[in-house]
């Protein structure tokens, strides 16, 4: 079997520590013929977010808050079973976990600063509405004066 394709970067220079990843393999569901009965291709990847030392403390707290609904005792779980080979499913699961952690540890967006619409733009809009109204009014045969 080929080696896994290197460390999975979360963001910047922080990557998933290979030693803290817990893998579990089982048989995938669905069709697959005779091959499906003998190979454990479904991959379940577990990562103990609460106990890890690989993430900066601020990131860890942010991730624990944002992923609270997905965590079971501080452990986040990702599974993959779309490929027929275990190796490709392992790759998929690791990439998915890295993406999930990258999103969960991202800094919050800057607050929106409310802006005012310039008076000239509003006046122009009203002027154009009035012009359009006059144009349409002029199309009817009645006298509106």
């Amino acid at each position: 079997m080929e080696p896994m394709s290197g460390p999975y970067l979360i963001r910047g220079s922080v990557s998933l520590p290979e030693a803290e990843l817990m893998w579990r393999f089982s048989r995938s569901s669905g069709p697959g013929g005779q091959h499906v009965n003998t190979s454990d291709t479904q991959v379940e990847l577990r990562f103990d977010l609460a106990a890890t030392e690989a993430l900066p403390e601020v990131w860890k707290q942010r991730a624990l808050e944002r992923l609270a609904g997905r965590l079971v005792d501080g452990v986040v779980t990702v599974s993959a079973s779309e490929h027929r080979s275990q190796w490709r499913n392992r790759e998929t699961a690791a990439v998915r976990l890295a993406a999930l952690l990258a999103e969960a540890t991202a800094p919050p967006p800057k607050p929106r600063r409310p802006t005012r619409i310039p008076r000239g733009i509003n006046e122009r809009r009203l002027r154009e509405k009035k012009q359009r109204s006059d144009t349409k009014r002029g199309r009817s045969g009645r006298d509106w004066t």
Side-chain angles (χ1 to χ4, degrees), residues 66-124:
R66 290 185 183 166
L67 297 175
R70 281 192 69 145
L71 297 177
V72 178
D73 297 329
V75 177
V76 65
T77 306
V78 173
S79 64
S81 62
E82 46 270 12
H83 302 293
R84 282 191 59 174
S85 85
Q86 186 188 94
W87 184 79
R88 284 181 67 193
N89 280 332
R90 282 178 69 140
E91 287 283 304
T92 304
V95 167
R96 216 176 270 169
L97 178 64
L100 182 72
L101 289 175
E103 194 177 315
T105 58
K110 289 182 180 157
R112 181 185 172 276
R113 282 182 41 210
T115 55
R116 287 186 57 215
I117 298 171
R119 201 174 80 207
I121 288 177
N122 211 18
E123 286 174 356
R124 186 178 71 200

Side-chain angles (χ1 to χ4, degrees), residues 30-81:
Q34 294 162 333
H35 172 75
V36 79
N37 299 325
T38 58
S39 58
D40 292 341
T41 54
Q42 181 174 345
V43 172
E44 191 178 276
L45 175 58
R46 298 168 50 124
F47 179 66
D48 195 344
L49 188 58
T52 187
E53 295 296 321
L55 297 177
E57 197 57 40
V58 179
W59 288 20
K60 194 197 309 191
Q61 289 307 318
R62 211 180 280 158
L64 286 168
E65 283 174 25
R66 290 185 183 166
L67 297 175
R70 281 192 69 145
L71 297 177
V72 178
D73 297 329
V75 177
V76 65
T77 306
V78 173
S79 64
S81 62

